[in-house]
Every structure is written in C-alpha cells, then in structure tokens.
Amino acid sequence: MDLHSGLPYWIVKNEFFDLYNPLRNDFKIDVAIIGSGITGALVAHELCEAGIECALIDKRTISTGSSAASTAQLQYEIDTPLCKLIHKVPKKIAIDAYFNCLQSITDIETIFKKTNIDADFTRVPTVLLASNKAGVELLDKEFEIRTEVGLPVKYLHAQQLKEYQNIDGIAALQNDTSAQMDAYKGAINLLKYHQQKHNLKIYTHTKVEKIQETKKGCKLITQHGHTVSCKYVIVATGFEAGQFLPKKVMNLLSTYAICSVPIDEKMIWPNRSLIWETAEPYLYMRTTKDNRLIVGGEDEDFQNPEKRDELLRTKVKILERKFKNLYPTIEFKTEMAWCGTFSSTDDGLPYMGAWKKGDRTLFALGYGGNGITFSMVAAQVLKNIILNKIDDRLKTFGFDRITK
C-alpha cells in the first residue's frame, strides 16, 4: 500500500538515496532489521555502536515510506494528554512514558552531534493552544498534573499568549524542551554513516513475506524465496508490521499536510514554536530551515488510500483556512501538499519488544503523533534485549503493559 501521496517537502528538498540492492542470495547475520525509515535508522545506529552485526532490509527505496511524509516534530507530549493517560494505564507508567519522551529528544540530539550528521535538528518551544472552553478545562488539568510530577510547563493566559506567540487565543501551555528535524534527511544520512563506519549491509526492494522462529533465532523468507538466518529480527515498519503480529494492536488514521513557499523571516511567527491545539482532530504547525511554514492535521479514520487521496484538495483548503484564523497577517501560499497514513493505539503509547517473552522477533513500533521520540526509546530498549540487559522501559512500552 502507498503510505503517502502528493508531494512531501522532504523528498523535494533532499538528495535522493538512490540505492538499488535487492537481496539475491541467502545469508546469515546477527540481527536483521526490517524497515529503513527513521525508526530502522535509529535501531541500526544503536546496534552498530554497540558492536552488533546487523543488516537492514526494505521493500522500497531507502526511507521513502512514512519517514518521507513525517512533519518531524519532537515533543515530550504524546497524543493522549497525561491527565487522561493516567486513567488508561497506571499512573507510574503514564508518567514514565512522558519522561522517556522528554529524555529521547536529548538522546536524538546527541546522536546527530556525535556523528556530525546534519538532520536540520533545531531546538524550539512548544505551544499547546486551548481551542475552546473544553480545551481550557483540559489545559487546567494537564498543567496541574505536569507541575505535580515535575515536567517542564508554563501556563499562558490570553494576554501572555498574545505577547509570547502573537495569537489571539484563550490560553496555552508552553515549554522550551521540544525540537524539530528532517526525519528523511536524518535517516538516510545515519544509514550512510554506518555503511561507511560499520559496513552496515542494506538491501532494498526486498520484501520479507514471512518470519519463522527457530531454536537458535529466526529465519526470514523473502518474496523471491531467499532466506536470511539471524539471531534476532527487528520489525521497524510502522503499521505494516501488522503482518508479523498475532493480532491487531493499532488503529489507522489518514493525515494531511501543506507546505508554504518560503516567506520573509520577519513574517514568521514568534519563537518558531511548534504549535498545536486541543481540538480533535488537532491542527499542528512548524517552520523549516529555509523559512517555509508546514501546517498539518485534519486526521480522520483511514478507509483506503484512494479515499484518503481524494480528500487532499479539500483538506488543503481547510488547513489554509485554519492557519489564517490563527495568523491573519501572515500570507500562506501552499506550494506542496501531501497526505499519509499512520497508526495510533488505544492508550496513545507505542509498542516495543517481543510479543511474548523469549521470542526472537522484536518490534520497534513508534505509533502515534510523536513516533520519532518513541523510536529512539525502542532502539535503546531492543539493543538492551539483544545484549541480555534488563530494561524497565518494557513495563511502560511492552506488549504486556498493564492497562485499565
């Protein structure tokens, strides 16, 4: 299935990783990673740096799945507000999830600094807007619990919001811990880095049809009958991982995004903040390095790619109108627009690790609107599993986590 359509800005902006290297023979490796997006790249990084021999396999051209359509906003907030999450999972798990997301932003930053890879990683603030009276009530509860547990947060009343963000709104929550990046650029350059430094093997246009657990590990069988024998396999393919899971664990959503022509830097909203709102479906906004504006949202339940694509023109107009309501003095002229499919879970948390204890098939599934930070956590957790190290984060993000 096409994970996205339209014209994603990142594919236009960056040099294409034009690698064609389908698997043509059987081979053995310690760890096989399925998926070459930002999740697979972060997993490969953690394994390579730990001295674990691995190979990466993808049925597409490198990183041209969901990562090419990601708006790549890195926030500690997840789709389910903390004040609601504590009613879906035990309070400790909810709090741990938020703090893990907070730490992962710094961990991602550290990776690109140490490897000297330019992924357009930039620290920016986040502003969560109350869309209406119900939104204000949500922000009040959210501010209270974030303050209680020690998460960084400030409350902006209407006048403060106007002064800080130049938005005529009711109220907002703000923090200075967020970041934004180019997920496509980060993924392809991270993979190139480990190709050169650690001889990372990358096989493209190779579809894995089946994973078989063996006494000593796993055997992957490709579409053309080749086999990959490995001690562990890591599935990092987003919602397409469903074919390797015993049952469905995610819901599919369609999402839409528009990117403006470059504008005068003086016209960009204050602080270059990541802006999103409490309404459902929510609107979100960010800037780019070359002074473009990206606006996304209008999510709805996924039906099929054709239906998703048919709505693109309508969604573009809605997103443009919503932007103008927030910033009537900023001229937004859409130059690129795209839509995609992503996954969410009932509690808003991702899944990582083995489906059941002892399995050698591991999953790195950063489901939700904050998938990149989840992917960073998953990469670290799965590395520890392979190294036979205990990682308590499985209690928060594992398939057997406690829910209410």
Side-chain angles (χ1 to χ4, degrees), residues 31-45:
V31 181
I33 304 166
I34 306 175
S36 67
I38 187 62
T39 304
L42 289 171
V43 169
H45 171 80

Side-chain angles (χ1 to χ4, degrees), residues 238-300:
F239 75 80
E240 290 185 309
Q243 72 176 103
F244 305 118
L245 287 165
K247 67 178 183 180
K248 180 183 175 183
V249 297
M250 74 291 191
N251 308 306
L252 297 185
L253 296 171
S254 297
T255 190
Y256 299 83
I258 55 177
C259 180
S260 75
V261 300
I263 67 172
D264 191 311
E265 189 169 6
K266 296 177 182 178
M267 293 299 295
I268 293 177
W269 59 75
N271 309 301
R272 288 183 175 261
S273 304
L274 304 182
I275 301 172
W276 56 308
E277 59 177 359
T278 59
E280 292 184 8
Y282 61 79
L283 183 78
Y284 54 88
M285 300 158 46
R286 61 161 289 184
T287 63
T288 69
K289 191 174 181 179
D290 59 348
N291 297 331
R292 296 174 184 267
L293 312 176
I294 294 179
V295 179
E298 279 301 298
D299 301 350
E300 61 176 58

Side-chain angles (χ1 to χ4, degrees), residues 58 70 170 224 226 233 241 263 276 342 398:
D58 200 303
S70 171
I170 317 171
H224 297 293
H226 300 302
V233 58
I263 67 172
W276 56 308
F342 75 101

Side-chain angles (χ1 to χ4, degrees), residues 162 166 263 267 323-332:
K162 180 66 175 178
N166 194 26
I263 67 172
M267 293 299 295
F323 176 83
K324 193 165 186 63
N325 288 338
L326 281 180
Y327 284 112
T329 62
I330 300 177
E331 184 179 356
F332 190 108

Side-chain angles (χ1 to χ4, degrees), residues 167-180:
I167 288 177
D168 293 315
I170 317 171
L173 298 186
Q174 184 270 346
N175 72 75
D176 294 314
T177 66
S178 302
Q180 61 188 28

Side-chain angles (χ1 to χ4, degrees), residues 152-265:
V153 64
K154 297 176 183 176
Y155 198 104
L156 303 179
H157 295 283
Q159 184 59 37
Q160 294 168 311
L161 176 58
K162 180 66 175 178
E163 292 172 357
Y164 182 81
Q165 202 56 58
N166 194 26
I167 288 177
D168 293 315
I170 317 171
L173 298 186
Q174 184 270 346
N175 72 75
D176 294 314
T177 66
S178 302
Q180 61 188 28
M181 63 177 286
D182 179 338
Y184 175 76
K185 184 179 182 181
I188 62 174
N189 285 327
L190 203 53
L191 293 175
K192 288 178 179 179
Y193 174 88
H194 289 293
Q195 266 189 314
Q196 297 174 4
K197 184 178 179 182
H198 294 108
N199 193 32
L200 173 66
K201 298 175 179 64
I202 300 177
Y203 297 98
T204 68
H205 305 90
T206 301
K207 184 180 180 181
V208 176
E209 292 280 11
K210 190 175 183 180
I211 299 174
Q212 295 178 340
E213 294 267 342
T214 68
K215 291 182 179 180
K216 296 183 179 180
C218 295
K219 180 179 287 187
L220 281 60
I221 302 172
T222 72
Q223 185 179 22
H224 297 293
H226 300 302
T227 63
V228 179
S229 300
C230 53
K231 296 176 182 177
Y232 289 92
V233 58
I234 294 176
V235 180
T237 57
F239 75 80
E240 290 185 309
Q243 72 176 103
F244 305 118
L245 287 165
K247 67 178 183 180
K248 180 183 175 183
V249 297
M250 74 291 191
N251 308 306
L252 297 185
L253 296 171
S254 297
T255 190
Y256 299 83
I258 55 177
C259 180
S260 75
V261 300
I263 67 172
D264 191 311
E265 189 169 6

